[in-house]
Structure formats: structure tokens, C-alpha cells
């Protein structure tokens, strides 16, 4: 305890305001990343709770007790107690199974890393450094009220990069206006209304401090959000108008207050249930509706020996035989970050596709056994991180993470295309009934089995008993998890226009590997003929411009960018990005830098804007400009390998390099063994070779 306080005093003074000092001076570096003229920006390392970056001061014992607030904020407390935040600690069996294993392998002190985000009440009082007894209420506390409502400063680092100053809550006499005002002021520190509050815990990274030899990025909802139109970043694509929204805007909507909460406005309070995807904690309508607004699924076309045709044409065929293919498209339409988000390695959201003949018999299918069995034809939207042997780490033992090799979750408003293939031995008779589904279960069967086993132990039972004694019904990780139908598509019932279907397909195909990029072009051509407005055409033009840029065809890319500009003149940043990429691809750096400057203006929260600008400026010899751009980017992504590299190169050439700047770059570089480990995975793990493709090809089963 004394150590904590000491460090806090060093870092921030003990009053209520934190002095503005550049991080160098304190060595703690949790202050706002201050851009000091000429000084580089280095990733911060945290303080007393290292490897967690959180700093606490004040009466941390007060974190334990949400009942303090319940007498006046009963509705907020009621919604919070059903949230994943209330279940973030050791009473959460999924977390406990993994963190216990971590503590066994890496020791208690390193587990502060986990507890910084999952167990504030425990870590802030030294509890994470000891064995944890099931009866310890701190191990059941979760993210309590005073964590968020006492966070007085955050940085973009992640791993709990926040300063939590737990002063007197100044509980008011509700009839006394000045007391109420003081209480409100106390409870609304500046970061509360910012997504950066959420981002401190919703961005994580692994490194030497937990035994991973180099930097590996983890959860990053905040980073993905910043790149998106929801955050006002318009550099990624021309999109239809989308309302801006913060984390709390989507996850804490106003709900009816039925218990007389004093903070209700017009009878409503902001829901603290932060519904996302955790159906096993509560399979509530609210959770399911978050999931069903997330994404769409579509099967726009099929291929026979005669080539591609609209799926409806295929469905009406009398007979088919031989080689068939179907394109399935998932679009992230409602998620302000990648979908699925959060711990992307742990996700179990998969695609099912079924083709039935005229008699209703299944001709071909894929993914349909995944709910209950191992099904190699199931495609799962998730990220794959390999361990040092090239095996996918699927139990979230993050200290074994070595090389993040591919991520098949979908960025905000982006699309994923997957090709399904089958060879029919005999003829099949139509008309055909074709269905596709996107289904969600919070954890995979394998992960559940692992957690269930850990739960059916004396320790697991002791936690359940203690939960009940603390007045909370435990969750059971052994019962089968709910499965949510996120989206469904049935041939002939789709109300989507031809243009939209082709647009989403082209968007998905535009992520393909170089050799297959041209496959998107006929789709774009058909899409243009189906477009009803110049804006819709412009959306397609820009996709084609990006493809041309990736292929190094400068003139063609510029032609499409110009065309897009005519149809969508208000989308300068996205259009400039295609121009910048096209120039960069052929090493015309002056023009690229000019274009990327325009991107950064239209998407200033998107770190990639600054990364591209820094690189282009560096390549023209504008080292000061490159340095300035890298600083802007590093305030958003302090551990971005490319930005750290640009910073290092620029300072070196300006004769201002330091060993720390070089070291920061070297520490965060992409791991060299990545490609070797990926090859090993491709050779020896089923599905690895397939899923590494941005547009995977999936073999269907016949019956
Ligand atoms: C004795 C009653 C009481 C208790 C206990 C209490 N509050 Fe309050 N709180 C109030 C009143 C009254 C208001 C002002 C409501 C209004 O008029 O908007 C308020 C307002 C707030 C607000 C600002 C709401 C806004 O206007 O946006 C927050 C946040 C808050 N309280 C958090 C807490 C937390 C966290 C706790 C527990 C540590 C707590 N309160 C305990 C009475 C209380
Ligand atoms: C435009 C609305 C929107 C915004 C903005 C948004 N989210 Fe979400 N979020 C969703 C939806 C819808 C889901 C459910 C689908 C899913 O699981 O991805 C979700 C899911 C999640 C999940 C659970 C992920 C999983 O699958 O396990 C987390 C964690 C999360 N959001 C955190 C955040 C944070 C942190 C921010 C701000 C940086 C944020 N969200 C911003 C809509 C949003
Ligand atoms: C994960 C962070 C987090 C936690 C944990 C949290 N809050 Fe909040 N709280 C917020 C945010 C964000 C807001 C909305 C701020 C804004 O935009 O006005 C808020 C708003 C409030 C409000 C005002 C509600 C309204 O409708 O205006 C009250 C009261 C409140 N919180 C009380 C609590 C209490 C009591 C708890 C514990 C049961 C709690 N909070 C836990 C983040 C949190
Ligand atoms: C102190 C760290 C911390 C802060 C601050 C924080 N979160 Fe979380 N959040 C977590 C942890 C840990 C979990 C995972 C809990 C679990 O399932 O074990 C989580 C889970 C979630 C989920 C997933 C819920 C689900 O049903 O899948 C959402 C959504 C979410 N948080 C939103 C937010 C938002 C919005 C904010 C800011 C207002 C925020 N969080 C701030 C730590 C934090
Ligand atoms: C930077 C903050 C942060 C750190 C550090 C962190 N987590 Fe998490 N963890 C989260 C968030 C946020 C989620 C919820 C994501 C979602 O809903 O998909 C989560 C979810 C989980 C889950 C899934 C829980 C569930 O209810 O399904 C497990 C298991 C987990 N974390 C284990 C760990 C372990 C073990 C460590 C340490 C080795 C750790 N985490 C470190 C933020 C963190």
C-alpha cells in the first residue's frame, strides 16, 4: 500500500489536480502524451502495478462496495450488476480458469497484468500478489462504480493506462443543491465522457513483462473504433451516411428507470449493463439485439460450368452437376469496431451454408455440424495467434502468444467474402433451396470444455458457494452456451438491392491476395450497371481505384479516384487515400505525401493516416515532417511498429536519435519468425492454410 501511494505522489502530487509534466521527468509516463518540441514519444511502462499500467491513489478499499451507491442509484446499480463488468473477476469461471493457469505458469506478480483490467479492487490493494481465496470479496468485485467514476486521466497505451484517484464520494443530501453539485462534479471526472476511458482497458498488448519475447497486440476495440466513421474518420472508404457514436453511445443506451434512481432524466438512466456479446452471463433480449444488429449475410452468386450467375438464377436450374461454387458475404453493418470484437482469439461466430434439392434433400452443406461437433467445413470469424511452435493458441493463454498471423474478424463497415466449393458426383435436381446463417456462441466448445473442467473442482465449487454468500447467483460454464442467430439469408427472400449485394461482394473480394484481386473487377462492372445514383457508382469506383493502386497501376487508380470524386465530392479523405496508396506503390513520394496529408486531415483519429504520412514524408527526405506525423500517430497508437520506425529513422537522420528511440522501435517490430511459424501451422494444422487467406475457399460436404 505504502509503495502505491509513494509512486502516486511522485507521479501526480497528492492534490486533486495532476501537474502537467512531460513523461521523462517522472518516469511514470501516465500523463497525457505531451508533445514536447523535438522530444520523441516513447511507450510508457507503468508504475507500482507493472505490468498493469494503472495508477491508484486514495482509499482503494472503497472500490469494493457498490452498495454505497445503491441507496440513491438503484437503477444504475441494478443494470450494472447484470453486466460483464460486474462479472469480470475471479467469480467469472472463464476468466478464472485462464488467469489461474497464468498465475501458475508465470507467478502472481505478473498476473497484475490481468487484474489491472479484470480485478481493480484486488490489484489496487495488493491482492493479486498473493494466493486468492474464493471467500475474498475483492475476487468477486468486478469493475466497480468508483473505477470509472474516479478515473482522472487516461493515455492511449492500453493495459489499464489510467490514473484512478479515489477521493471521498461526497455523498449528498439530495435536498441540498450545493452538496449535490459537489457530488456530481466529483463523480464526473473529465475522462468519463470519453471513449478513452473505455480504451484504457479495451486495448491490450503482451510483451516481455509477461514472458512474451516481443510486442504482440491484443484486444483493441478503441483502435478499431478510431479508424471508423463512428469516430468521424472518413479515410477508409466512401460509405453511406453513418451516425457517429462512442462506446457508451452504443453500449450504454438510456433505459427506463423503474426503481426511482435520483439521476434519472425523463424517467431514464444510462444502462450500465454494457451489453455486447456475452450471452452466457445473461442471455437477454438486449444482448441478442446487439448481436443481430451487428452484421448481414448474403449469397449473391453461384458458379457452374457456365460461369458465375445470380444465385436466384442458379436456384431455378433444373439440374446441376460437377463443380459448383457459391460466394458468401458478411458485412459488419452495426459494430463500432471489429466484428466480432473484444478477445478476437476466443470468438466462436461461424457460417453455415446449405443447398437442398427439389425434394428437400441436402445436396451440399458446410458448417452445419459446428454447433455440436468438430466440423472442418465451418468457417469461424476470429483471429489466430500462434505460439512459439506454430500452433494456434485457442485457450487465451496470452503469455504463450508469439505471432499474430491472421485476423478474420471484420473491421467496422467492412466486408468478408468466403468462397464455398463442392463437386457433385451425380446430377442434382432443382429448383434449389439455399440458406446461409451467421451464428454466434460466446465461447468455442473446446474452450468451454477446458473451463468446465477447471470449474468442477473444489476451488470452482468454493467460488460458487462464496458467490451465493455474497448474494449473487453464480454462472455455470458447464451448461451448453446459447447460440444466437446473428443473421440469416434464404434464397428468394432477400430484400437487398442488386447494387448493394454486388457492392458488399466487391468490398469483400477487394481484400484478396494480389493474384486474385482481378476477381473483383467483373463484380464492380455489374455493380456499376445496377447503381441507381452517382454516389453508389462512386462507392464502387473507389473500391476499383484501391484495387488498381494495390496492383501498382497508377494511371488507372487515379482515373477511378477522379471518377469517385465526381460522384462523391464530400469524401475527400477516402479518395485521397487511394491516390496516396497509388503513388506510394510506385514510389512517387512527393505526391503520396501530399495525398496522405489530406487523408490525415479527414481522418485525424485514424493512426494509419499518420503512419502513411510519416512514411511518405520520410521517403521524400522531409525528416522533420515525418517526425511530426509520427508523433501525431504515436499519441493514438503508442506501440505502432511502423510509427516507431518512422520516428526512429527521422530522428536518426536529424542527428537526434537516442538509444531509447531505437530500442522502442526494435522492441515493437513485427516478429521475424512470423512467416516460419505460419508455414508450420499451414503444414500441420487443419484449416490454417485455408483461413490465412483473406478470401478463404471452403470445401462443402455432400451427403
Ligand atoms: C445519498 C444519495 C446518493 C448516493 C449514496 C450517491 N449519489 Fe450519486 N447522485 C445523487 C444525486 C442527488 C445526484 C444528482 C442527480 C441529478 O439531479 O441529476 C447524483 C448524481 C450522480 C452522478 C451524476 C449524474 C449526472 O448528472 O450525470 C453520478 C455519476 C453519480 N451520482 C455517481 C454516484 C456513485 C458512483 C455513487 C456511489 C459511490 C453515488 N453516486 C452515490 C445522490 C447520491
Ligand atoms: C456503433 C455501435 C458501437 C460502438 C460505437 C461500439 N460498439 Fe462495441 N459492440 C457493438 C455491437 C453491435 C456489438 C455486438 C457484436 C460483437 O460482438 O462484435 C459490440 C460488442 C462489443 C464487445 C464484445 C465483443 C465480443 O464479441 O465479445 C466489446 C468488448 C465492445 N463492444 C466494446 C466496445 C468499446 C470499448 C467501444 C468503444 C471503443 C465500442 N464497443 C464501441 C456496437 C458498438
Ligand atoms: C465502465 C465504466 C463505468 C462503471 C463501472 C460505472 N459507470 Fe456510471 N457512468 C459511466 C459513464 C461512461 C457514464 C455516462 C457519462 C456521460 O456520457 O454522461 C456514467 C453515468 C452514470 C450516472 C449518470 C446516469 C445518467 O443517466 O445520466 C450515474 C448515476 C452513474 N454512472 C452511477 C454509477 C454507479 C452507481 C455505478 C456502479 C454500480 C457505475 N456508475 C459504474 C461509466 C461507468
Ligand atoms: C477497468 C477496466 C475497464 C474499463 C475502464 C472498461 N471496461 Fe469494459 N470490460 C472490461 C473487462 C475486463 C471486460 C470483460 C469481462 C469478462 O467477461 O470477463 C469488459 C467487457 C466489456 C464489454 C463486453 C460485454 C459483453 O456482453 O460482451 C463491453 C461491451 C464493454 N466492456 C464496454 C465498455 C465500455 C463502453 C466502457 C467505457 C464506458 C468500458 N467497457 C470500460 C474492462 C473494462
Ligand atoms: C487491457 C485490459 C485487459 C487485460 C490486461 C487482460 N484482459 Fe482479459 N479481457 C479484457 C476485456 C476488455 C475482455 C472482454 C472482451 C470481450 O468481451 O470480447 C476480456 C476478456 C477475457 C476473457 C473472456 C472472459 C469471458 O467472460 O468470456 C478471459 C478468459 C480473459 N479476458 C482472460 C485474461 C487473462 C488471463 C489476462 C492476463 C493474462 C487478461 N485477460 C488480461 C481486458 C483485459
Amino acid at each position: 500500500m505504502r509503495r502505491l501511494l509513494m509512486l502516486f505522489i511522485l507521479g501526480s502530487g497528492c492534490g486533486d489536480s495532476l501537474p502537467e509534466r512531460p513523461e521523462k521527468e517522472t518516469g511514470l509516463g501516465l500523463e497525457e502524451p505531451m508533445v514536447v518540441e523535438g522530444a520523441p514519444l516513447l511507450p510508457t511502462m507503468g508504475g507500482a502495478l507493472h505490468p498493469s499500467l494503472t495508477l491508484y491513489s486514495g482509499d482503494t478499499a472503497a472500490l469494493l462496495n457498490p452498495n454505497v451507491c445503491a441507496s440513491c442509484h438503484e437503477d444504475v446499480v441494478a443494470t450494472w450488476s447484470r453486466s460483464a463488468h460486474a462479472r469480470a473477476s475471479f467469480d467469472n469461471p472463464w476468466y478464472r480458469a485462464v488467469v489461474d493457469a497464468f498465475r501458475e505458469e508465470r507467478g502472481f506478480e505478473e498476473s497484475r497484468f490481468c487484474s489491472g483490467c479484470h480485478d481493480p479492487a484486488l490489484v489496487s490493494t495488493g491482492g493479486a500478489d498473493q494466493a486468492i481465496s474464493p471467500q475474498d470479496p475483492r475476487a468477486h468485485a468486478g469493475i466497480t462504480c468508483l473505477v470509472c467514476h474516479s478515473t482522472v486521466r487516461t493515455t492511449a497505451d492500453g493495459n489499464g493506462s489510467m490514473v484512478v484517484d479515489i477521493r471521498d464520494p461526497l455523498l449528498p443530501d439530495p435536498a441540498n443543491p450545493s452538496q449535490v453539485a459537489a457530488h456530481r462534479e466529483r463523480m464526473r471526472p473529465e475522462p468519463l465522457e470519453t471513449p478513452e476511458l473505455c480504451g484504457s482497458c479495451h486495448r491490450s498488448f503482451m510483451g516481455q513483462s509477461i514472458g512474451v519475447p516481443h510486442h504482440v497486440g491484443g484486444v483493441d476495440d478503441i483502435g478499431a473504433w478510431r479508424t471508423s466513421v463512428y469516430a468521424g474518420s472518413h479515410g477508409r472508404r466512401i460509405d453511406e451516411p453513418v451516425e457517429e457514436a462512442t462506446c457508451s453511445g452504443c453500449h450504454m443506451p438510456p433505459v427506463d428507470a423503474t426503481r426511482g434512481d435520483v439521476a434519472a432524466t425523463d424517467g431514464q438512466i444510462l444502462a450500465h449493463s454494457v451489453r455486447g456479446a456475452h450471452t452466457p452471463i445473461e442471455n437477454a433480449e438486449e444482448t441478442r439485439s446487439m448481436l443481430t444488429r451487428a452484421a448481414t449475410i448474403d449469397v449473391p452468386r453461384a458458379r457452374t460450368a457456365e460461369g458465375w450467375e445470380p444465385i436466384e438464377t442458379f436456384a431455378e436450374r433444373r439440374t446441376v452437376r460437377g463443380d459448383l461454387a457459391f460466394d458468401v458475404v458478411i458485412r459488419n453493418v452495426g459494430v463500432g469496431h471489429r466484428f466480432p470484437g473484444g478477445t478476437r482469439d476466443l470468438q466462436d461466430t461461424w457460417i453455415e451454408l446449405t443447398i437442398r434439392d427439389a425434394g428437400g434433400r441436402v445436396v451440399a452443406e458446410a458448417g452445419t455440424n459446428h454447433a455440436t461437433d468438430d466440423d472442418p467445413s465451418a468457417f469461424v470469424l476470429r483471429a489466430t495467434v500462434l505460439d512459439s511452435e506454430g500452433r494456434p493458441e485457442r485457450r487465451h493463454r496470452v503469455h504463450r502468444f508469439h505471432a499474430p498471423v491472421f485476423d478474420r474478424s471484420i473491421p467496422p463497415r467492412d466486408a468478408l467474402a468466403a468462397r464455398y466449393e463442392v463437386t457433385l458426383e451425380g446430377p442434382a435436381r432443382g429448383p434449389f433451396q439455399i440458406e446461409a446463417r451467421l451464428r454466434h456462441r460466446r465461447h468455442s466448445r473446446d474452450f468451454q470444455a477446458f473451463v468446465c473442467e477447471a470449474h468442477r473442482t473444489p476451488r470452482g465449487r468454493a467460488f460458487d458457494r462464496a458467490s451465493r454468500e455474497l448474494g449473487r447467483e453464480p454462472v455455470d460454464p458447464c451448461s451448453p452456451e446459447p447460440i444466437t442467430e446473428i443473421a440469416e439469408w434464404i434464397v428468394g427472400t432477400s430484400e437487398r438491392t442488386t447494387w448493394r449485394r454486388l457492392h458488399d461482394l466487391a468490398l469483400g473480394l477487394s481484400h484478396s491476395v494480389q493474384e486474385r484481386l482481378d476477381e473483383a473487377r467483373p463484380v464492380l462492372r455489374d455493380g456499376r450497371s445496377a447503381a441507381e445514383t452517382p454516389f453508389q457508382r462512386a462507392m464502387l469506383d473507389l473500391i476499383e481505384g484501391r484495387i488498381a493502386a494495390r496492383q501498382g497501376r497508377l494511371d488507372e487508380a487515379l482515373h477511378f479516384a477522379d471518377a469517385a470524386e465526381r460522384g462523391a465530392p464530400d469524401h475527400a479523405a477516402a479518395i485521397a487515400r487511394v491516390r496516396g496508396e497509388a503513388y506510394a506503390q510506385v514510389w512517387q513520394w512527393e505526391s503520396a505525401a501530399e495525398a496522405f496529408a489530406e487523408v490525415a486531415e479527414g481522418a485525424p483519429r485514424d493512426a494509419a493516416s499518420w503512419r502513411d504520412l510519416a512514411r511518405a514524408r520520410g521517403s521524400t527526405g522531409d525528416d522533420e515532417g515525418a517526425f511530426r506525423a509520427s508523433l501525431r500517430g504515436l499519441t493514438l497508437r503508442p506501440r505502432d511498429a511502423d510509427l516507431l520506425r518512422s520516428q526512429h529513422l527521422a530522428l536518426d537522420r536529424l542527428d537526434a536519435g537516442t538509444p531509447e528511440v531505437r530500442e522502442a522501435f526494435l522492441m515493437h517490430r513485427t516478429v521475424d519468425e512470423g512467416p516460419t511459424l505460419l508455414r508450420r501451422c499451414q503444414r500441420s494444422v487443419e484449416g490454417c492454410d485455408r483461413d490465412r487467406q483473406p478470401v478463404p475457399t471452403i470445401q462443402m460436404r455432400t451427403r
Side-chain angles (χ1 to χ4, degrees), residues 87 92 94-95 98-99 102 113-114 117-118 158-160 200-204 210 219 221 278 281 341-343 346-347 396 398-399 442-443 447:
R87 299 263 188 196
N92 172 325
W94 301 279
Y95 171 60
V98 184
V99 74
F102 179 93
F113 165 69
C114 320
C117 297
H118 284 266
N159 285 3
S200 307
C201 294
H202 286 267
R203 164 175 278 172
S204 72
I210 59 162
V219 170
D221 303 315
H278 214 309
I281 286 184
T343 45
L346 267 186
Q347 296 295 344
H396 205 61
V398 299
H399 53 293
R442 180 60 185 84
H443 309 105
F447 185 69

Side-chain angles (χ1 to χ4, degrees), residues 562-636:
D562 291 348
E565 194 165 29
R566 285 192 294 275
D570 297 337
H571 289 256
I575 295 164
R577 183 139 192 230
V578 164
R579 292 190 177 120
E581 283 172 358
Y583 285 123
Q585 192 68 246
V586 297
W587 295 45
Q588 294 194 20
W589 294 110
E590 297 279 351
S591 306
E594 218 170 282
F596 286 135
E598 200 176 343
V599 182
E601 203 173 296
R605 277 169 146 165
D606 186 345
S609 312
W610 301 105
R611 179 199 65 202
D612 294 342
L613 180 58
R615 186 168 73 109
R617 281 182 177 165
S619 305
T620 65
D622 173 10
D623 296 316
E624 280 182 35
F627 175 57
R628 277 198 313 275
S630 60
L631 284 184
R632 287 294 298 271
L634 287 168
T635 59
L636 299 161

